[in-house]
Amino acid sequence: MRVLMVCLGNICRSPIADGWLRQKSEIHQLNLLVDSAGTSNLHAGERPDSRMRKTALEYGVNIDDLRARQFIQEDFDRFDIIFAMDKNNLRDILKLARNKTDEQKVKLLLNEPFPNEDREVPDPYYGGQEGFNQVVQLLDVATNAFLRNYKLI
Ligand code: 4NP
């Protein structure tokens, strides 16, 4: 299964979602292809935000090798599931959908642990350390729920 994590900048939320899922895929020896992207090109080519890299490491996840890139229409062909971190991301991804098949691939990630609640991963970019801790913890829970819901673990 091929999974793409998407946020706005691809430097805070989607990199740690990506990092958690890659790590769990390795631990459980799953056949997952995982990547992340941003709906904007604001930070294309950059490493994840230094605050997120540091926080991720504190939770045992190394995301230092990831580089930001923008979501492109071809991602609908390259991935089976496209997880948006918030509703703006969801809307921006859906603007690029070409057909119903594309549309059906796009989901809010937090509907995995919290079905039908349409909850959003808060953007930690303009806040303090607590926001980064919260996002890392929330995305640990969310990636576990995804793996269980899809019967991968
Ligand atoms: P992300 O966070 O979408 O979780 O990567 C943000 C990163 C950068 C900006 C906003 C959110 N920005 O405005 O530059």
Side-chain angles (χ1 to χ4, degrees):
M1 192 177 290
R2 305 165 301 171
V3 182
L4 183 66
M5 301 292 190
V6 181
C7 61
L8 174 62
N10 191 207
I11 56 168
C12 293
R13 293 166 293 176
S14 59
I16 183 59
D18 179 340
W20 274 128
L21 198 54
R22 284 184 200 218
Q23 185 183 75
K24 290 167 191 184
S25 177
E26 202 165 302
I27 289 168
H28 297 285
Q29 300 188 314
L30 307 175
N31 189 19
L32 281 184
L33 184 126
V34 185
D35 197 13
S36 58
T39 55
S40 83
N41 67 357
L42 283 171
H43 297 275
E46 295 177 20
R47 284 192 165 79
D49 186 286
S50 60
R51 297 165 295 175
M52 184 52 88
R53 282 191 276 132
K54 176 175 166 289
T55 311
L57 270 185
E58 287 167 6
Y59 285 84
V61 184
N62 188 324
I63 55 170
D64 293 356
D65 289 340
L66 299 180
R67 295 292 182 278
R69 70 167 180 93
Q70 188 167 21
F71 178 87
I72 53 173
Q73 199 166 50
E74 288 70 35
D75 286 319
F76 287 113
D77 302 317
R78 295 177 51 219
F79 295 92
D80 303 304
I81 309 177
I82 297 166
F83 279 124
M85 299 299 122
D86 67 31
K87 293 175 198 169
N88 282 332
N89 308 149
L90 186 83
R91 194 195 54 217
D92 290 339
I93 298 164
L94 286 174
K95 280 183 197 159
L96 294 174
R98 298 155 299 187
N99 50 49
K100 198 102 198 145
T101 308
D102 287 356
E103 287 175 7
Q104 284 168 348
K105 292 184 174 187
V106 192
K107 300 165 192 300
L108 277 175
L109 178 59
L110 291 189
N111 277 340
E112 298 301 322
F114 312 112
N116 306 313
E117 292 187 23
D118 289 351
R119 276 173 60 168
E120 306 181 289
V121 181
D123 185 348
Y125 190 70
Y126 295 104
Q129 181 59 42
E130 195 43 42
F132 284 86
N133 292 340
Q134 262 178 23
V135 167
V136 173
Q137 290 172 23
L138 193 54
L139 292 174
D140 185 15
V141 169
T143 49
N144 284 342
F146 159 70
L147 292 170
R148 282 195 296 267
N149 293 346
Y150 284 78
K151 312 262 186 280
L152 296 169
I153 56 169

